[in-house]
Amino acid sequence: MQKIRLQLSHSIESILIEIGDIILFTLEVIKQFFLAPFEHRELIKQSYYIGNKTLPLITITGFIMGLVLTLQSRPVLVEFGAQNLLPGMISISVVREIGPVITALLCAGKISSGIGAELGAMKVTEQLDAMEVSGTKPLNFVVATRVLGTTLLVPILVIFADAIAIVGSFVAVRMYEDISIVLFISRAFDSLSFSDVIPATIKTFFFGFVIGLIGTYKGYNTSRGTESVGHSANSAVVTASLAIFVIDLLAVQLSNLIFEV
């Protein structure tokens, strides 16, 4: 029993220490956003890589997401004679919650792990140390550009995934009834309001920031040894995914409080 208590105490202590390290790392990264030189070329390069690597996966997943959600929801609405409400229900579900969270989790698995592995390899091979010796700031050139890139790209990927999901929903509806794309989109957007779109869009910026931050933190603090690179990548995915769920929970609570008032 005493051994279990010691292990639990050690685990809690380790978690608290890591949270403190992440907070300090976050402050340092945010500081780099406002310090010269601004590595705009590296930012554009990383943003392109992030979008290019993730776009095919987002496209396929978004389409299937809208297709499956519609196929599962339609029989229930048909039973009550409310199939006309299907486009609006799908659009609200996708825009408010399913689209942002699923896309962010995909980005956490694809982007955060990639960044963690890349920076971990750079750490192990002492490339980051070589940058410091040559006068280049790794936090500025390597970390800040990737964090800012994910912060800007993830919201765009979420919007794209939402649009593809609505297209997938339209394809599913067309399997059973003759409806034009114009009418479908009109019904879908009539159900949306600013209270649906604005909170969902704002939280995607936080999703992107956390995905880039966790990936760079895990990679930047990789231990010596090649096996640590894989551990950093896996840890980045798990930590970023948990952070996404926490941010989503807080965002939902805040938006409910604000818009209920």
Side-chain angles (χ1 to χ4, degrees):
M1 189 69 180
Q2 184 68 23
K3 184 178 180 180
I4 296 176
R5 289 180 179 176
L6 289 174
Q7 290 177 345
L8 182 61
S9 176
H10 179 70
S11 299
I12 294 174
E13 182 181 355
S14 300
I15 291 173
L16 293 176
I17 290 174
E18 184 165 26
I19 291 174
D21 290 339
I22 291 175
I23 292 174
L24 294 175
F25 186 79
T26 303
L27 295 176
E28 287 296 323
V29 172
I30 293 175
K31 188 188 300 181
Q32 299 302 316
F33 293 160
F34 306 98
L35 294 179
F38 183 70
E39 304 289 348
H40 60 279
R41 290 186 179 178
E42 183 67 14
L43 173 61
I44 295 172
K45 175 184 174 183
Q46 293 303 322
S47 299
Y48 171 77
Y49 285 155
I50 291 168
N52 188 47
K53 288 190 297 184
T54 316
L55 194 59
L57 179 63
I58 296 297
T59 303
I60 296 171
T61 305
F63 184 81
I64 295 175
M65 180 172 60
L67 193 70
V68 171
L69 185 61
T70 303
L71 292 175
Q72 288 185 336
S73 303
R74 188 179 183 278
V76 178
L77 294 179
V78 169
E79 184 177 350
F80 292 96
Q83 59 267 31
N84 290 337
L85 300 177
L86 185 59
M89 188 199 74
I90 297 299
S91 64
I92 292 175
S93 301
V94 168
V95 171
R96 291 189 65 172
E97 194 64 26
I98 298 177
V101 173
I102 296 298
T103 305
L105 290 175
L106 290 173
C107 291
K110 186 74 174 178
I111 299 172
S112 194
S113 62
I115 292 176
E118 182 184 8
L119 266 67
M122 295 175 70
K123 181 77 171 182
V124 170
T125 56
E126 299 182 350
Q127 294 182 48
L128 298 179
D129 296 334
M131 286 184 182
E132 291 183 355
V133 172
S134 63
T136 303
K137 298 178 182 178
L139 274 176
N140 192 342
F141 186 81
V142 177
V143 176
T145 52
R146 285 164 173 78
V147 174
L148 191 56
T150 56
T151 304
L152 297 175
L153 260 294
V154 169
I156 297 174
L157 292 172
V158 169
I159 293 172
F160 180 78
D162 291 347
I164 294 297
I166 292 175
V167 172
S169 177
F170 169 72
V171 172
V173 171
R174 284 281 295 184
M175 295 179 184
Y176 299 95
E177 57 185 276
D178 187 17
I179 182 174
S180 67
I181 184 67
V182 176
L183 179 59
F184 183 89
I185 292 177
S186 176
R187 289 177 179 175
F189 280 87
D190 283 345
S191 302
L192 291 173
S193 63
F194 284 108
S195 62
D196 299 318
V197 177
I198 293 177
T201 303
I202 291 175
K203 70 182 179 182
T204 58
F205 286 95
F206 290 97
F207 289 163
F209 180 79
V210 165
I211 288 169
L213 182 73
I214 298 298
T216 53
Y217 169 78
K218 293 296 183 179
Y220 196 81
N221 292 281
T222 299
S223 304
R224 299 296 180 184
T226 54
E227 70 278 358
S228 299
V229 177
H231 180 268
S232 296
N234 293 332
S235 180
V237 175
V238 175
T239 307
S241 299
L242 290 175
I244 286 168
F245 285 120
V246 172
I247 292 173
D248 185 55
L249 175 62
L250 295 175
V252 169
Q253 295 297 326
L254 285 174
S255 61
N256 288 339
L257 289 174
I258 292 172
F259 289 100
E260 281 181 2
V261 173

